[in-house]
Amino acid sequence: MSFINYSSREINCKIVYYGPGLCGKTTNLNYVYQKTNPDNRGKMISLATETERTLFFDFLPLALGSIRGFKVRFHLYTVPGQVFYDASRKLILRGADGVVFVADSQVDRLEANVESLENLRQNLAEHGSDLDKIPFNIQYNKRDLPDIASVEEMNGLLNPRGVPVVEACAHTGEGVFDTLKDIAKQVIMELKKKENT
Amino acid sequence: MGSQNFITAQVLERVEEELRGFRQAAKARVAFLIDGNGQLLGQAGDATKVDTTAIAALTASNMAASKAIAELVGEEKFGGVLHEGEDEHLHLSVVGGIAILVVLFDAETSIGLVRLRVKNTTKNLEALLIQGAEEGVSEEEDLSPFAEITEDDIDQLFL
């Protein structure tokens, strides 16, 4: 849920990166962290296991600039992708203004993508949110690897609603900022919609 | 835990006044109030050496996890959480299911005094937040930029 501080004239929004284990959620945040001017970002926090798998979440606060006198900040979170961390995923999803689903393009991960997307839908529903109604996009990651599914095939499985899709290779950074920019735009336009209703 | 999606300058002033009074009475180093989503609502004390954004995100998640654990063992919630360090300690307490009071303290005080003062302050803060939510945002203050925002404005953020 976005938060407006009228005293400091700041707007904070929460974006959650979701997806199956090892799909590249943390890699997305690492790239954003590395490529953002240190003045515009806070400390990146990663709560990970000894083997660098996300245990609870990663957190990166970003200050993007001002819109009409209000400083706009985004708090980016990732969830742990491994199936048995579902309780943690539910906690982190709470209050999300927008969700990025990072899908692993490798053919042998298609089923994991479908399961994770269904899990996202269920967990949002438990918070009273509907995946079909919130700002949402999908990143098809790992497009540089061999043995990947076509965009058409992935759209058929993961994107019947036709939400914005970004092809990416998060470890080189390709598509990372396009994904972030798209979800940020959707989140802000959603706030505008609410303001006008 | 619920949370509210705005704080006005007037409510912030009242909240920070309460936090300043608490900090002095409890002899704590820093006290701050965050909402259930990890947004900083107000603070008192010298927080220049503390990354309040990161602490807010972590403590909100910590409290959410504590509540989930409490439910698993048949409790509605755990009242307060204490993190004890060598020199610095952190006490977290729920403010009426709306927010979290975070208190950073050292050897200048004791956990007993902090807990004692936390009791009253959490009640006062809860009342202030409820009152603030009821008052809402005044017309003069409600200069939200969203109504007139354009896609160009958003594109500017990423230049």
mmCIF file of all heavy atoms in Angstrom, chain B residues 2 21 24 27 32 34-35 38-40 43 47 51 56 59 73 79 95 98 101 112 115 117 119 134 148-149 156:
data_model
loop_
_atom_site.group_PDB
_atom_site.id
_atom_site.type_symbol
_atom_site.label_atom_id
_atom_site.label_comp_id
_atom_site.label_asym_id
_atom_site.label_seq_id
_atom_site.Cartn_x
_atom_site.Cartn_y
_atom_site.Cartn_z
ATOM 1 N N GLY B 2 -2.731 -3.879 10.512
ATOM 2 C CA GLY B 2 -3.187 -2.915 9.526
ATOM 3 C C GLY B 2 -2.172 -1.804 9.364
ATOM 4 O O GLY B 2 -1.133 -1.796 9.994
ATOM 5 N N GLY B 21 8.845 12.792 24.347
ATOM 6 C CA GLY B 21 8.541 12.628 25.772
ATOM 7 C C GLY B 21 8.904 11.227 26.241
ATOM 8 O O GLY B 21 9.507 11.033 27.305
ATOM 9 N N GLN B 24 12.771 10.673 26.476
ATOM 10 C CA GLN B 24 13.363 11.275 27.684
ATOM 11 C C GLN B 24 13.027 10.456 28.918
ATOM 12 O O GLN B 24 13.894 10.155 29.731
ATOM 13 C CB GLN B 24 12.821 12.696 27.855
ATOM 14 C CG GLN B 24 13.559 13.683 26.961
ATOM 15 C CD GLN B 24 13.180 15.117 27.282
ATOM 16 O OE1 GLN B 24 12.136 15.355 27.883
ATOM 17 N NE2 GLN B 24 14.011 16.053 26.874
ATOM 18 N N LYS B 27 14.773 7.192 28.852
ATOM 19 C CA LYS B 27 16.224 7.374 28.670
ATOM 20 C C LYS B 27 16.744 6.521 27.508
ATOM 21 O O LYS B 27 17.816 5.898 27.595
ATOM 22 C CB LYS B 27 16.974 7.041 29.958
ATOM 23 C CG LYS B 27 16.603 7.944 31.121
ATOM 24 C CD LYS B 27 17.419 7.588 32.336
ATOM 25 C CE LYS B 27 16.972 8.386 33.545
ATOM 26 N NZ LYS B 27 17.575 7.921 34.785
ATOM 27 N N PHE B 32 11.433 5.296 17.292
ATOM 28 C CA PHE B 32 10.669 5.638 16.103
ATOM 29 C C PHE B 32 9.466 4.753 15.902
ATOM 30 O O PHE B 32 9.388 3.642 16.424
ATOM 31 C CB PHE B 32 11.513 5.801 14.842
ATOM 32 C CG PHE B 32 12.513 4.726 14.565
ATOM 33 C CD1 PHE B 32 12.200 3.693 13.718
ATOM 34 C CD2 PHE B 32 13.786 4.783 15.116
ATOM 35 C CE1 PHE B 32 13.133 2.718 13.426
ATOM 36 C CE2 PHE B 32 14.727 3.818 14.830
ATOM 37 C CZ PHE B 32 14.409 2.780 13.992
ATOM 38 N N ILE B 34 6.881 3.025 13.155
ATOM 39 C CA ILE B 34 6.746 2.606 11.754
ATOM 40 C C ILE B 34 5.379 1.959 11.567
ATOM 41 O O ILE B 34 4.755 1.516 12.536
ATOM 42 C CB ILE B 34 7.855 1.606 11.352
ATOM 43 C CG1 ILE B 34 7.786 0.331 12.197
ATOM 44 C CG2 ILE B 34 9.219 2.245 11.471
ATOM 45 C CD1 ILE B 34 8.752 -0.739 11.739
ATOM 46 N N ASP B 35 4.919 1.919 10.326
ATOM 47 C CA ASP B 35 3.646 1.230 10.105
ATOM 48 C C ASP B 35 3.911 -0.245 9.788
ATOM 49 O O ASP B 35 5.064 -0.672 9.697
ATOM 50 C CB ASP B 35 2.797 1.944 9.041
ATOM 51 C CG ASP B 35 3.214 1.624 7.616
ATOM 52 O OD1 ASP B 35 4.254 0.951 7.429
ATOM 53 O OD2 ASP B 35 2.506 2.034 6.690
ATOM 54 N N GLY B 38 6.345 -1.210 7.114
ATOM 55 C CA GLY B 38 7.741 -0.789 7.197
ATOM 56 C C GLY B 38 7.994 0.645 6.765
ATOM 57 O O GLY B 38 9.120 1.012 6.454
ATOM 58 N N GLN B 39 6.957 1.473 6.767
ATOM 59 C CA GLN B 39 7.138 2.892 6.442
ATOM 60 C C GLN B 39 7.384 3.656 7.739
ATOM 61 O O GLN B 39 6.670 3.458 8.714
ATOM 62 C CB GLN B 39 5.883 3.471 5.777
ATOM 63 C CG GLN B 39 5.396 2.707 4.573
ATOM 64 C CD GLN B 39 6.247 2.959 3.343
ATOM 65 O OE1 GLN B 39 7.212 3.720 3.374
ATOM 66 N NE2 GLN B 39 5.881 2.320 2.250
ATOM 67 N N LEU B 40 8.364 4.549 7.709
ATOM 68 C CA LEU B 40 8.678 5.350 8.890
ATOM 69 C C LEU B 40 7.623 6.426 9.080
ATOM 70 O O LEU B 40 7.343 7.214 8.181
ATOM 71 C CB LEU B 40 10.053 6.000 8.689
ATOM 72 C CG LEU B 40 10.625 6.771 9.865
ATOM 73 C CD1 LEU B 40 10.954 5.845 11.030
ATOM 74 C CD2 LEU B 40 11.878 7.530 9.429
ATOM 75 N N GLN B 43 9.984 9.976 14.342
ATOM 76 C CA GLN B 43 11.115 9.548 15.162
ATOM 77 C C GLN B 43 11.522 10.618 16.162
ATOM 78 O O GLN B 43 11.172 11.792 16.002
ATOM 79 C CB GLN B 43 12.307 9.180 14.269
ATOM 80 C CG GLN B 43 12.879 10.365 13.504
ATOM 81 C CD GLN B 43 13.991 9.935 12.552
ATOM 82 O OE1 GLN B 43 13.747 9.141 11.649
ATOM 83 N NE2 GLN B 43 15.176 10.456 12.758
ATOM 84 N N ALA B 47 19.146 9.983 15.159
ATOM 85 C CA ALA B 47 19.128 8.774 14.326
ATOM 86 C C ALA B 47 20.102 8.893 13.158
ATOM 87 O O ALA B 47 20.025 8.134 12.193
ATOM 88 C CB ALA B 47 17.713 8.520 13.811
ATOM 89 N N ASP B 51 20.355 3.589 10.005
ATOM 90 C CA ASP B 51 19.667 3.537 8.708
ATOM 91 C C ASP B 51 18.190 3.227 8.993
ATOM 92 O O ASP B 51 17.783 2.073 9.038
ATOM 93 C CB ASP B 51 20.309 2.451 7.844
ATOM 94 C CG ASP B 51 19.716 2.402 6.436
ATOM 95 O OD1 ASP B 51 18.607 2.931 6.237
ATOM 96 O OD2 ASP B 51 20.365 1.832 5.555
ATOM 97 N N ALA B 56 13.352 0.052 9.528
ATOM 98 C CA ALA B 56 11.885 0.014 9.438
ATOM 99 C C ALA B 56 11.420 -1.202 8.634
ATOM 100 O O ALA B 56 10.506 -1.927 9.052
ATOM 101 C CB ALA B 56 11.367 1.308 8.812
ATOM 102 N N THR B 59 12.284 -4.425 10.751
ATOM 103 C CA THR B 59 11.492 -4.638 11.966
ATOM 104 C C THR B 59 10.029 -4.952 11.629
ATOM 105 O O THR B 59 9.399 -5.755 12.310
ATOM 106 C CB THR B 59 11.556 -3.426 12.922
ATOM 107 O OG1 THR B 59 11.327 -2.246 12.190
ATOM 108 C CG2 THR B 59 12.868 -3.340 13.629
ATOM 109 N N VAL B 73 1.523 -21.113 17.379
ATOM 110 C CA VAL B 73 1.535 -21.751 18.702
ATOM 111 C C VAL B 73 0.285 -21.394 19.514
ATOM 112 O O VAL B 73 0.241 -21.582 20.724
ATOM 113 C CB VAL B 73 2.825 -21.407 19.499
ATOM 114 C CG1 VAL B 73 4.055 -21.910 18.775
ATOM 115 C CG2 VAL B 73 2.932 -19.910 19.785
ATOM 116 N N GLY B 79 3.523 -9.873 22.643
ATOM 117 C CA GLY B 79 3.426 -8.455 23.008
ATOM 118 C C GLY B 79 4.581 -7.605 22.564
ATOM 119 O O GLY B 79 4.436 -6.636 21.849
ATOM 120 N N VAL B 95 1.676 -1.253 18.293
ATOM 121 C CA VAL B 95 0.841 -0.114 18.696
ATOM 122 C C VAL B 95 -0.569 -0.357 18.154
ATOM 123 O O VAL B 95 -0.879 -0.031 17.008
ATOM 124 C CB VAL B 95 1.420 1.218 18.153
ATOM 125 C CG1 VAL B 95 0.517 2.394 18.496
ATOM 126 C CG2 VAL B 95 2.815 1.451 18.711
ATOM 127 N N ILE B 98 -1.836 -1.170 14.610
ATOM 128 C CA ILE B 98 -1.731 -0.186 13.527
ATOM 129 C C ILE B 98 -0.277 0.067 13.157
ATOM 130 O O ILE B 98 0.052 0.315 12.003
ATOM 131 C CB ILE B 98 -2.308 1.202 13.947
ATOM 132 C CG1 ILE B 98 -3.663 1.066 14.599
ATOM 133 C CG2 ILE B 98 -2.366 2.155 12.767
ATOM 134 C CD1 ILE B 98 -4.139 2.372 15.232
ATOM 135 N N LEU B 101 6.257 0.403 17.551
ATOM 136 C CA LEU B 101 7.167 1.328 18.221
ATOM 137 C C LEU B 101 8.530 0.646 18.348
ATOM 138 O O LEU B 101 8.630 -0.449 18.894
ATOM 139 C CB LEU B 101 6.630 1.692 19.615
ATOM 140 C CG LEU B 101 7.541 2.548 20.494
ATOM 141 C CD1 LEU B 101 7.804 3.918 19.866
ATOM 142 C CD2 LEU B 101 6.948 2.716 21.887
ATOM 143 N N GLY B 112 13.641 -2.747 32.046
ATOM 144 C CA GLY B 112 12.459 -2.563 32.903
ATOM 145 C C GLY B 112 11.842 -1.191 32.693
ATOM 146 O O GLY B 112 10.616 -1.060 32.519
ATOM 147 N N ARG B 115 10.278 -0.922 29.151
ATOM 148 C CA ARG B 115 8.980 -1.630 29.075
ATOM 149 C C ARG B 115 7.883 -0.837 29.796
ATOM 150 O O ARG B 115 6.748 -0.751 29.314
ATOM 151 C CB ARG B 115 9.099 -3.019 29.695
ATOM 152 C CG ARG B 115 9.734 -4.013 28.757
ATOM 153 C CD ARG B 115 9.470 -5.447 29.223
ATOM 154 N NE ARG B 115 10.023 -6.386 28.264
ATOM 155 C CZ ARG B 115 10.926 -7.310 28.571
ATOM 156 N NH1 ARG B 115 11.379 -7.432 29.798
ATOM 157 N NH2 ARG B 115 11.352 -8.135 27.645
ATOM 158 N N ARG B 117 7.667 2.420 30.281
ATOM 159 C CA ARG B 117 7.264 3.612 29.511
ATOM 160 C C ARG B 117 6.579 3.243 28.201
ATOM 161 O O ARG B 117 5.728 3.985 27.716
ATOM 162 C CB ARG B 117 8.484 4.492 29.229
ATOM 163 C CG ARG B 117 9.196 4.993 30.474
ATOM 164 C CD ARG B 117 8.290 5.866 31.308
ATOM 165 N NE ARG B 117 8.965 6.372 32.491
ATOM 166 C CZ ARG B 117 8.374 7.043 33.460
ATOM 167 N NH1 ARG B 117 7.074 7.265 33.417
ATOM 168 N NH2 ARG B 117 9.059 7.473 34.492
ATOM 169 N N LYS B 119 4.485 0.937 27.686
ATOM 170 C CA LYS B 119 3.073 0.621 27.934
ATOM 171 C C LYS B 119 2.171 1.822 27.687
ATOM 172 O O LYS B 119 1.187 1.733 26.946
ATOM 173 C CB LYS B 119 2.901 0.141 29.386
ATOM 174 C CG LYS B 119 2.574 -1.321 29.483
ATOM 175 C CD LYS B 119 2.315 -1.696 30.915
ATOM 176 C CE LYS B 119 2.136 -3.197 30.992
ATOM 177 N NZ LYS B 119 2.023 -3.642 32.364
ATOM 178 N N GLU B 134 -9.058 9.727 11.545
ATOM 179 C CA GLU B 134 -10.417 10.295 11.531
ATOM 180 C C GLU B 134 -10.419 11.719 10.965
ATOM 181 O O GLU B 134 -11.331 12.108 10.247
ATOM 182 C CB GLU B 134 -11.006 10.284 12.938
ATOM 183 C CG GLU B 134 -11.458 8.885 13.358
ATOM 184 C CD GLU B 134 -11.769 8.772 14.853
ATOM 185 O OE1 GLU B 134 -11.672 9.790 15.574
ATOM 186 O OE2 GLU B 134 -12.083 7.661 15.280
ATOM 187 N N GLU B 148 -3.181 15.031 -11.540
ATOM 188 C CA GLU B 148 -2.803 15.642 -12.818
ATOM 189 C C GLU B 148 -1.586 14.994 -13.471
ATOM 190 O O GLU B 148 -1.040 15.518 -14.429
ATOM 191 C CB GLU B 148 -2.505 17.139 -12.598
ATOM 192 C CG GLU B 148 -3.631 17.938 -11.973
ATOM 193 C CD GLU B 148 -4.885 17.932 -12.835
ATOM 194 O OE1 GLU B 148 -4.742 17.916 -14.069
ATOM 195 O OE2 GLU B 148 -5.985 17.898 -12.271
ATOM 196 N N ILE B 149 -1.163 13.884 -12.951
ATOM 197 C CA ILE B 149 0.095 13.296 -13.407
ATOM 198 C C ILE B 149 -0.001 12.793 -14.851
ATOM 199 O O ILE B 149 -1.069 12.355 -15.299
ATOM 200 C CB ILE B 149 0.491 12.145 -12.452
ATOM 201 C CG1 ILE B 149 1.979 11.968 -12.440
ATOM 202 C CG2 ILE B 149 -0.173 10.848 -12.820
ATOM 203 C CD1 ILE B 149 2.437 11.122 -11.280
ATOM 204 N N GLN B 156 10.196 11.083 -16.623
ATOM 205 C CA GLN B 156 11.249 11.966 -16.092
ATOM 206 C C GLN B 156 11.982 11.322 -14.918
ATOM 207 O O GLN B 156 13.153 11.592 -14.678
ATOM 208 C CB GLN B 156 10.639 13.303 -15.607
ATOM 209 C CG GLN B 156 10.139 14.219 -16.711
ATOM 210 C CD GLN B 156 11.271 14.732 -17.601
ATOM 211 O OE1 GLN B 156 12.337 15.065 -17.106
ATOM 212 N NE2 GLN B 156 11.031 14.754 -18.903
#
